Amino acid sequence: MQSSTATIQNTFAEDVIRGLSATPKFFSSKYFYDDEGSRLFQEIMKLPEYYLTKAEYEIFSTQTQKIYSIFVPDNAPFDLIELGSGDGTKTSLLVNFFLKHKAEFTYVPIDISGEALELLTEKFAAQFPNLSIQTEQGDYFRTLETFKTESNKRKIILFLGSNIGNFSQTQAQNFFNELRALMNADDVLFIGFDLQKNPRTILSAYDDAQGVTAAFNLNLLTRINREFGADFDPENFSHYASYHPIEGAARSFLISKKEQTVFIDALNKKFEFAMWEPIFMEISQKYNLSMIDNLAQASGFRVEKNLFDDKKFYTNSIWKPV
Ligand code: AVI
C-alpha cells in the first residue's frame, strides 16, 4: 500500500497535469501552503490591506462573552473542534475565556499538516497548562465521523479565517451538506465569512502594494519546480487580481508575459503558454447575508446569529442544525 505522503504527492501531480491541460488553465489554491507559502500567508495576514484577519480578531476579542453564551447555554461539557487550525491566535482568545469560566471542554484541532499541529500544541500547552487538547491529523470528515460515534458530547465546530471563501459556491454547498451529515441536533457550527463591501477595499486586499500576494501566488510555480523538476521561470509570469462585484468573487491569476513552453521533468510533459495567457489560481468568495442564509438553509442549518466587526467587513456566523 502507498504511504499517505505518496498519495498526496500523486494527487498533486495529477492536479497539476489536469490544471495545465485545461482551457483556461488553473491550479488549486490548496497547494499554496508549502513552508514558504505558509510563511507568505502569515505575512499577508499582517498587511495593512488584508483586513480579514483583523476583523475576525476584533469579533473574537470584543464578543467573547456572547460567543460563550451561545456555545454553552447549559454548561454541558463539549468538544471544541477546529477545522484547519492554523496558528491558533484567534482561537486562543476563546480558549482563554472558556478556561477562566471553568468550561468543561476538549480542544480538538484538525489539520492535514502534522507540523502545524505540533507547533500549535506546543504553543497552547505553554499558554494553557490546564487545557485538554487532542490533535487530529488528516481529513476533516474522516475525523468527524469517528467523533459522531465515539463522543456523546456536544460538538462546536470552528471553520474560521474565511477559508470557506476559497471554495466555489457549489463546493461550499457540498462541504456544508457533508458536515451536516456528521453533526447531531445539539451541535454548533461557527464559520468566518468575508462580506461584500467596497470593491476597491476587497481588490486591494488581494493586490497589496508590497507584492506579498503576488509572491504567494508565484510561489506555487517555485513549488512545482522543486517537487516535480519543472522549469517555470516566475519572472515570466505576473500576478493579476480581480473582483467581480455582482458575483462577489475575488479571483487571482498568473499571466504568462510571453509565449513560452514549460517542461515538467517528473511528469515528462510540456505545456505551451500563449502570450498573456492566464492561469486561474484562486477564488476568494465574498458573501452577503442572504447568501449566508440560503447556504445554511440549503444544507440543513439555520443561522442562529451573525456577529460583526465594527465596520461590518466580516461576520462570524453561528449555525445550528434544523
Ligand atoms: C486562506 N484564505 C482565506 C485566504 C483568502 O483571503 O482567500 C488566502 C489568500 N489569498 C490571497 N490572500 C490571502
Side-chain angles (χ1 to χ4, degrees):
M1 211 176 93
Q2 264 184 341
S3 78
S4 64
T5 323
T7 314
I8 289 169
Q9 201 62 3
N10 282 347
T11 316
F12 183 19
E14 280 159 21
D15 286 350
V16 167
I17 295 175
R18 203 161 51 91
L20 289 179
S21 311
T23 314
K25 293 182 171 62
F26 68 93
F27 284 132
S28 164
S29 60
K30 73 176 177 203
Y31 295 116
F32 281 7
Y33 303 90
D34 62 350
D35 287 349
E36 179 62 1
S38 304
R39 190 194 67 74
L40 286 165
F41 183 55
Q42 294 292 325
E43 290 301 307
I44 287 176
M45 290 194 286
K46 291 183 217 145
L47 290 171
E49 294 96 334
Y50 197 75
Y51 56 83
L52 291 82
T53 314
K54 294 154 199 85
E56 192 168 55
Y57 190 85
E58 181 193 316
I59 296 171
F60 274 56
S61 51
T62 58
Q63 302 183 57
T64 339
Q65 171 69 59
K66 209 184 282 175
I67 296 171
Y68 182 58
S69 345
I70 298 172
F71 281 5
V72 211
D74 50 6
N75 282 324
F78 61 96
D79 290 318
L80 184 67
I81 301 176
E82 183 163 14
L83 308 182
S85 48
D87 70 355
T89 309
K90 286 163 282 188
T91 315
S92 72
L93 293 170
L94 294 187
V95 165
N96 186 34
F97 188 93
F98 292 2
L99 288 174
K100 276 201 179 125
H101 287 76
K102 308 258 180 284
E104 214 184 300
F105 70 103
T106 299
Y107 174 49
V108 187
I110 310 179
D111 209 294
I112 321 189
S113 158
E115 202 181 305
L117 285 171
E118 259 170 51
L119 286 173
L120 184 74
T121 314
E122 253 172 55
K123 189 166 147 181
F124 273 37
Q127 210 178 342
F128 310 112
N130 295 327
L131 175 67
S132 147
I133 172 162
Q134 176 186 339
T135 56
E136 296 286 344
Q137 188 186 355
D139 180 79
Y140 299 158
F141 295 120
R142 216 170 305 152
T143 309
L144 285 171
E145 223 162 291
T146 55
F147 263 80
K148 182 158 185 176
T149 45
E150 281 171 19
S151 168
N152 52 8
K153 284 186 274 177
R154 170 184 290 141
K155 290 190 289 297
I156 293 172
I157 302 176
L158 311 177
F159 192 50
L160 306 177
S162 178
N163 284 336
I164 193 66
N166 298 131
F167 292 163
S168 70
Q169 291 184 68
T170 314
Q171 288 169 332
Q173 177 74 73
N174 293 338
F175 178 79
F176 288 127
N177 278 333
E178 258 187 270
L179 211 49
R180 174 66 188 88
L182 297 168
M183 291 173 68
N184 298 313
D186 242 15
D187 297 342
V188 179
L189 184 55
F190 189 68
I191 316 144
F193 286 99
D194 192 18
L195 295 174
Q196 295 182 7
K197 59 184 68 62
N198 184 339
R200 291 179 205 283
T201 307
I202 295 174
L203 189 55
S204 312
Y206 294 92
D207 198 16
D208 65 281
Q210 294 170 53
V212 186
T213 311
F216 180 58
N217 279 265
L218 288 164
N219 177 60
L220 183 51
L221 303 186
T222 311
R223 178 177 184 186
I224 295 170
N225 284 349
R226 187 183 59 245
E227 294 188 22
F228 299 123
D231 61 0
F232 276 109
D233 180 352
E235 292 280 316
N236 289 340
F237 291 86
S238 69
H239 168 248
Y240 177 76
S242 72
Y243 177 65
H244 191 303
I246 294 174
E247 296 173 9
R251 291 189 177 88
S252 54
F253 305 88
L254 287 178
I255 311 286
S256 175
K257 293 199 270 190
K258 58 180 211 179
E259 190 180 317
Q260 53 184 315
T261 303
V262 170
F263 181 64
I264 308 188
D265 196 30
L267 313 178
N268 196 25
K269 283 199 182 293
K270 61 176 195 215
F271 298 96
E272 312 285 344
F273 289 83
M275 190 164 176
W276 305 128
E277 183 176 349
I279 314 174
F280 171 46
M281 302 295 286
E282 186 183 46
I283 183 166
S284 294
Q285 180 67 45
K286 310 304 167 191
Y287 283 82
N288 60 35
L289 296 182
S290 60
M291 287 163 80
I292 294 176
D293 253 338
N294 291 340
L295 194 54
Q297 270 181 41
S299 40
F301 293 93
R302 69 183 163 77
V303 177
E304 169 87 8
K305 195 156 190 63
N306 287 317
L307 306 172
F308 301 96
D309 60 307
D310 228 22
K311 292 186 184 140
K312 286 210 160 182
F313 273 9
Y314 194 93
T315 186
N316 282 110
S317 193
I318 301 172
W319 292 9
K320 292 199 170 163
V322 282

